[in-house]
Amino acid sequence: MQCIYQTRVMNSGKMVAVLLVERMIILFKDNAPEELADYCILHNENQLSDIIQEQDVLVIGDTEYKIRYVGEEVQRNLENLGHITLRFDGSTEGLGGSIYLEDKAVPQIHIGDRIAIYRK
């Protein structure tokens, strides 16, 4: 498998649990604006080596999720800001800054967890 993207969780905002109930996770590099940081999973790496595509696989910790849809702003936002929204509802279309993943349970995120995207 080819690794397309990887990062490591450095911090979790105090409002992240609210978004988990909504089946979404917001990723932002550790320079997130203060007014957004409480809602984000913050990371300090941002290693992106290729264009993220449908059918790639996102891995959080030990759990894999097939990517169902990649919004048109994902690549640019991830490259420039380390910022995207992960949505776990199986949608095959949606908002530009989001990656939509297969409809599976939303993982608990822990500091130190690795988040990666692979192409099989």
Side-chain angles (χ1 to χ4, degrees):
M1 288 195 307
Q2 175 189 4
C3 184
I4 304 299
Y5 175 76
Q6 68 177 343
T7 192
R8 192 158 305 273
V9 175
M10 299 305 295
N11 203 351
S12 179
K14 62 185 175 185
M15 301 300 290
V16 166
V18 172
L19 295 177
L20 291 176
V21 172
E22 298 295 322
R23 302 179 54 86
M24 73 169 122
I25 294 171
I26 299 173
L27 297 179
F28 217 117
K29 202 157 183 290
D30 57 7
N31 61 350
E34 189 175 323
E35 63 273 11
L36 296 179
D38 282 343
Y39 295 91
C40 298
I41 297 294
L42 302 173
H43 59 95
N44 68 351
E45 300 174 39
N46 201 42
Q47 299 176 20
L48 182 63
S49 63
D50 204 346
I51 295 172
I52 299 168
Q53 302 173 1
E54 294 171 11
Q55 300 307 313
D56 287 345
V57 176
L58 177 109
V59 179
I60 299 176
D62 295 327
T63 308
E64 293 186 359
Y65 300 87
K66 268 192 187 162
I67 295 176
R68 310 285 293 160
Y69 177 77
V70 180
E72 66 274 2
E73 297 170 23
V74 164
Q75 198 75 22
R76 183 179 63 238
N77 287 352
L78 201 52
E79 287 173 350
N80 296 331
L81 304 170
H83 169 56
I84 55 172
T85 300
L86 304 175
R87 298 177 187 268
F88 298 82
D89 65 6
S91 293
T92 56
E93 58 183 40
L95 300 172
S98 294
I99 291 178
Y100 291 80
L101 303 156
E102 66 182 299
D103 188 1
K104 282 173 56 172
V106 180
Q108 291 297 316
I109 305 284
H110 303 94
I111 293 173
D113 280 353
R114 184 170 177 264
I115 299 174
I117 297 175
Y118 293 95
R119 182 158 304 135
K120 292 187 176 186

